Amino acid sequence: MNPRDFWLIVLVMAIWGINFSMIKLGVSELDPLLVAAARFLCATFPIIFFIRRPKVPWRHLIGYGLVFGTGIWGMASCAITFGLSAGMASVLLQLDVLTTVLVGVLLYRETISRRMWSGIAIALLGVLVAIVYTNGNVTPAGVLFILISAICWPLAGVIVRRSGTQSAFAFNIWGMLFAPLPLIGLSLLFNGIDVLEITYRQWHAGTWLSVLFQAYPTTLFGYWVWNRMLLKYPMSQMAPMTLLVTVFALASGYLMYGEQLSPAQWASCTAFLLGIALVLYRGPLPGKPRTPLSTDKGTA
């Protein structure tokens, strides 16, 4: 990997890490589902008018919008609203690596090596310790929502793979077209129609900053760069870079909100990320090159 590409990827990892703190900025006082809906509206319009629709069935675009918009980022926003710190949200969302492995085994009969089993065990132990020794930055509701988000990551990958798209960027843009309505519908279902007026009255400059950061640097710029790099470098080289997202997320959470981990959580997060790294660094099986389902964090 040449130095220019390396530092460009690091920049994107920094943006995605800071994104968790920017989500917190937007959802601290407002409904997280409506804030997420605004994110995808801004990310979709007006750029969709300049991007040709990928030649895939509509059901794949609709399914992707639902899983990606509501399942991943709607639930991740809810996790932060319900007490999960921005830094811990980024750490626990790495559980998507484990759920991706599970989907690969169930749907594609992929094999789990001994190194991967070791990594999974270490990562799960780290999660358990982080939850037990919380200093208020981890809540049961937050963990539940982030787990749903992590489960939806590989499902989004399945949809992209089955669509057969040749343009991941265009697929993402057109898929996001179907993200806002389910998010708004869920918000109305749980909060009633008054939530629209309340959100309108309480919307402020910080909310706009949150939404626009999520829509443009995070989603459009980040995903554009990520896809370009995926065309140049193998996923086995790219996927471990996503661990930097957690580093930047923990740093931004501390700088913006004074978020801190307990000593036990520092140890547990280190163990967790070590376990994830063992899973990501697994080598191909003899005579059977590995084709990862989706460790794509480019849709942060």
Side-chain angles (χ1 to χ4, degrees), residues 89-293:
S90 72
V91 172
L92 295 182
L93 191 53
Q94 294 284 349
L95 284 167
D96 80 290
V97 174
L98 306 188
T99 57
T100 296
V101 170
L102 179 61
V103 169
V105 171
L106 295 177
L107 294 185
Y108 301 103
R109 297 182 179 179
E110 295 180 355
T111 303
I112 302 180
S113 67
R114 290 183 179 180
R115 175 181 291 183
M116 291 170 62
W117 276 120
S118 299
I120 291 171
I122 294 172
L124 292 179
L125 178 61
V127 169
L128 180 61
V129 172
I131 294 173
V132 171
Y133 291 94
T134 178
N135 60 3
N137 57 2
V138 176
T139 63
V143 171
L144 176 61
F145 280 115
I146 208 69
L147 180 59
I148 295 173
S149 180
I151 291 172
C152 287
W153 267 112
L155 298 182
V158 170
I159 293 172
V160 173
R161 174 182 264 188
R162 291 187 174 178
S163 73
T165 182
Q166 299 300 310
S167 176
F169 183 76
F171 186 92
N172 189 56
I173 295 297
W174 279 86
M176 288 191 300
L177 177 66
F178 301 98
L181 283 181
L183 287 164
I184 295 172
L186 273 181
S187 179
L188 294 178
L189 177 65
F190 292 119
N191 303 301
I193 196 168
D194 290 343
V195 71
L196 297 176
E197 181 184 354
I198 294 172
T199 300
Y200 175 78
R201 284 193 283 105
Q202 295 182 345
W203 200 274
H204 52 80
T207 312
W208 275 119
L209 177 61
S210 169
V211 167
L212 295 178
F213 187 92
Q214 293 177 64
Y216 298 113
T218 299
T219 303
L220 296 184
F221 173 74
Y223 201 26
W224 174 67
V225 170
W226 182 257
N227 279 312
R228 285 186 60 196
M229 296 300 107
L230 286 180
L231 294 176
K232 297 178 66 174
Y233 305 104
M235 178 61 80
S236 60
Q237 188 175 1
M238 293 287 292
M241 296 288 290
T242 62
L243 295 177
L244 288 175
V245 173
T246 298
V247 176
F248 287 110
L250 289 169
S252 65
Y254 173 75
L255 293 174
M256 292 179 65
Y257 304 108
E259 295 179 355
Q260 297 187 28
L261 302 182
S262 66
Q265 285 182 322
W266 276 115
S268 68
C269 288
T270 301
F272 176 79
L273 295 177
L274 174 62
I276 295 297
L278 287 174
V279 175
L280 289 177
Y281 275 106
R282 64 191 187 277
L285 296 173
K288 200 180 270 189
R290 176 179 169 263
T291 53
L293 172 63

Side-chain angles (χ1 to χ4, degrees), residues 27-102:
V27 304
S28 295
E29 301 174 1
L30 299 175
D31 180 75
L33 297 173
L34 292 182
V35 172
R39 165 192 178 170
F40 292 115
L41 280 171
C42 290
T44 303
F45 296 99
I47 192 173
I48 197 170
F49 297 118
F50 304 96
I51 304 293
R52 180 172 299 182
R53 183 177 75 85
K55 296 180 180 180
V56 300
W58 282 102
R59 67 178 182 276
H60 291 130
L61 296 174
I62 295 171
Y64 182 79
L66 179 62
V67 173
F68 176 63
T70 304
I72 298 176
W73 292 110
M75 296 301 100
S77 297
C78 287
I80 294 175
T81 298
F82 283 87
L84 203 60
S85 70
M88 286 305 299
S90 72
V91 172
L92 295 182
L93 191 53
Q94 294 284 349
L95 284 167
D96 80 290
V97 174
L98 306 188
T99 57
T100 296
V101 170
L102 179 61

